[in-house]
Amino acid sequence: MADLIKIARESIEAFNAGDWERMKATLTADSIEEEVGTGRRMRGPQEIIQTAQGWKSAFPDAKGTITNAVASGNTVTQEITWEGTQTGPLEGPGGAIPASGKRVKVRAVQVLTYEGEKIKENHHYFDMMSLLQQIGAA
C-alpha cells in the first residue's frame, strides 16, 4: 500500500515540476480523470496531460502539497492543498477567464484507483467556487 501512496505522490510531484512524461508514466493507457469542480472528464493520458498543462499555463507556479494520504486495497485517497498565481488565462468549460495576477489556495481530495502500479481512475474533488472567488471571477 505504501507503494500506491508513493505513486500518488509521484504524480503530484511530476505536476509540480511540469514533467509531463513523468506524470504520464503513473497512468494506465486507458486512465480516466474526473474533475468534479469543472465537470470535465478526461480519457487517456493524452487528455489528462493536456488538462494538467492547461492548469500549469494558467498558474505556472502551481504546486500541490499532499497533507494526508490513506491507502486501502487498490485505492488511495489523498488530501491536497493547491496553491498558485493566475498569470495566464484559465480555460474551462465556459471559456477562458483572463489572468488576474491573484494568488489562490484551494483544498482538494483525489480518490485514485489503481490497476497494478498505475493510476486507472482519478476522481478529483476541489472547491471551484473558492478558486473563482479568489481570482475575482465570481
Side-chain angles (χ1 to χ4, degrees), residues 23-126:
M23 187 175 172
K24 184 178 179 181
T26 67
L27 305 170
T28 64
D30 60 347
S31 57
I32 294 170
E33 180 170 345
E34 178 184 20
E35 277 185 352
V36 177
T38 64
R40 296 189 288 195
R41 185 174 178 89
M42 289 68 69
R43 289 180 169 79
Q46 183 71 21
E47 283 185 27
I48 292 168
I49 298 300
Q50 284 177 335
T51 301
Q53 289 171 330
W55 283 105
K56 266 298 198 189
S57 179
F59 299 88
D61 63 344
K63 180 182 177 201
T65 302
I66 299 169
T67 57
N68 190 25
V70 178
S72 177
N74 70 336
T75 302
V76 171
T77 302
Q78 57 186 7
E79 293 178 283
I80 306 164
T81 300
W82 294 107
E83 296 183 71
T85 308
Q86 189 206 10
T87 59
L90 176 60
E91 299 293 334
I97 299 169
S100 66
K102 294 184 178 178
R103 187 143 183 86
V104 301
K105 185 174 184 178
V106 178
R107 294 175 60 197
V109 171
Q110 287 183 336
V111 180
L112 307 163
T113 305
Y114 288 79
E115 185 173 274
E117 294 187 351
K118 297 204 178 226
I119 299 166
K120 171 78 172 172
E121 288 188 34
N122 177 357
H123 299 273
H124 191 178
Y125 301 86
F126 59 93

